[in-house]
Amino acid sequence: MSLPDGMGGGDEPGRPPLTLRIEAVRRLLWTLLVLVSALGLLAELVHHLWMPSSLADVVPLFSLSEEGNIPTWYSSALLLTCGLVLLLIASAATQARARHRGHWWFLALAFLYISMDETVTLHERLNDLIPLSGIFYFSWVIPVGIAVAVMGLAYIPFLRGLPARTRRQFLVAGVIYVGGALVTELPLGYWSVRVGEDNLGYSLIDFVEETLEFTGVTLFLLALLEYAHDHHGVIRLERGRGQPR
């Protein structure tokens, strides 16, 4: 396979690549996504339709509307894993003097920050700085949306330099993730103002938002693993019984 400009494809001497079974990784990621989302939806239904006292302390652990619980940890872990794979790619791109190595480093740092923010929820503190109502009730979407738009424009040359398959995978994953993280916050904000937050409608919108985020990050992680294998050799993917991808 031919490589993009300035990128090496062989394994680095003295540092064997991380070997993964791609089918196993893909199966694990999608199974976890379905499990976390399904348990989150079940928790919301139990909370709003039938909440026995014995489950009062258990349901919040799986709720997608709560923070500091299992779905929050899973989301943060997914984002952190993306950041670590991006660091591997950025390091390999730097050694190969690849053209857009700076973009890889910035993307890695961005995902490491987002994984931290997912747990600490720094972005939600912007709501107090910009108090609004209606669809912009969660006003943090405005500065973050502007930042995402600027970053998107700045990354156009980077995306054009990627292989067609990788570019398509990144774009699909990005649209799904941003659709959940930012766009879905608009109807969620409107619902919060009109109806409130402690109701099934709010929880269902939040379920859609979180599931879209999980899906986008999962697709992005799988695309990163494939790219790291095909174009840098820092990760080795196998199919079947020891068959290299």
Side-chain angles (χ1 to χ4, degrees):
M1 176 183 292
S2 60
L3 303 178
D5 52 325
M7 295 186 180
D11 300 344
E12 294 181 40
R15 190 168 69 179
L18 174 66
T19 302
L20 301 171
R21 291 280 299 280
I22 184 59
E23 280 87 357
V25 172
R26 185 179 290 114
R27 191 182 306 118
L28 175 64
L29 289 176
W30 289 120
T31 300
L32 288 174
L33 187 153
V34 172
L35 183 62
V36 173
S37 297
L39 287 175
L41 178 60
L42 180 61
E44 303 298 350
L45 294 175
V46 169
H47 174 69
H48 294 289
L49 301 180
W50 178 71
M51 172 66 95
S53 57
S54 59
L55 296 179
D57 294 329
V58 177
V59 168
L61 290 176
F62 300 96
S63 172
L64 298 176
S65 300
E66 300 285 342
E67 301 292 345
N69 57 8
I70 292 175
T72 301
W73 168 80
Y74 176 65
S75 179
S76 180
L78 263 183
L79 292 162
L80 176 62
T81 305
C82 286
L84 295 177
V85 176
L86 283 164
L87 284 177
L88 288 176
I89 295 175
S91 178
T94 299
Q95 292 182 10
R97 298 185 180 277
R99 181 179 170 191
H100 294 297
R101 55 188 179 276
H103 289 77
W104 288 112
W105 282 111
F106 183 83
L107 206 55
L109 294 176
F111 268 82
L112 292 176
Y113 169 80
I114 297 172
S115 72
M116 179 270 294
D117 183 74
E118 188 70 16
T119 302
V120 183
T121 62
L122 292 175
H123 65 278
E124 294 189 2
R125 302 184 186 187
L126 294 174
N127 294 331
D128 297 329
L129 299 178
I130 316 173
L132 297 174
S133 187
I135 63 173
F136 294 114
Y137 174 71
F138 298 115
S139 56
W140 65 265
V141 301
I142 297 177
V144 173
I146 293 173
V148 170
V150 171
M151 184 175 174
L153 292 174
Y155 267 72
I156 289 177
F158 168 81
L159 289 170
R160 286 177 175 171
L162 292 174
R165 174 179 170 80
T166 305
R167 178 170 60 249
R168 185 166 57 251
Q169 290 173 323
F170 280 18
L171 288 173
V172 170
V175 168
I176 293 175
Y177 180 77
V178 172
L182 285 178
V183 178
T184 313
E185 283 286 288
L186 302 180
L188 192 65
Y190 179 80
W191 188 276
S192 299
V193 173
R194 296 295 299 271
V195 183
E197 299 182 10
D198 189 16
N199 55 77
L200 183 58
Y202 177 93
S203 297
L204 292 178
I205 298 173
D206 206 38
F207 164 76
V208 173
E209 174 183 341
E210 297 297 330
T211 301
L212 286 175
E213 290 185 28
F214 292 153
T215 302
V217 180
T218 298
L219 288 172
F220 186 61
L221 177 55
L222 290 171
L224 286 175
L225 292 174
E226 182 178 313
Y227 179 85
H229 167 85
D230 289 346
H231 302 287
H232 289 292
V234 292
I235 291 177
R236 186 172 186 263
L237 301 181
E238 293 181 348
R239 292 186 182 277
R241 299 188 178 182
Q243 297 291 330
R245 183 191 174 281

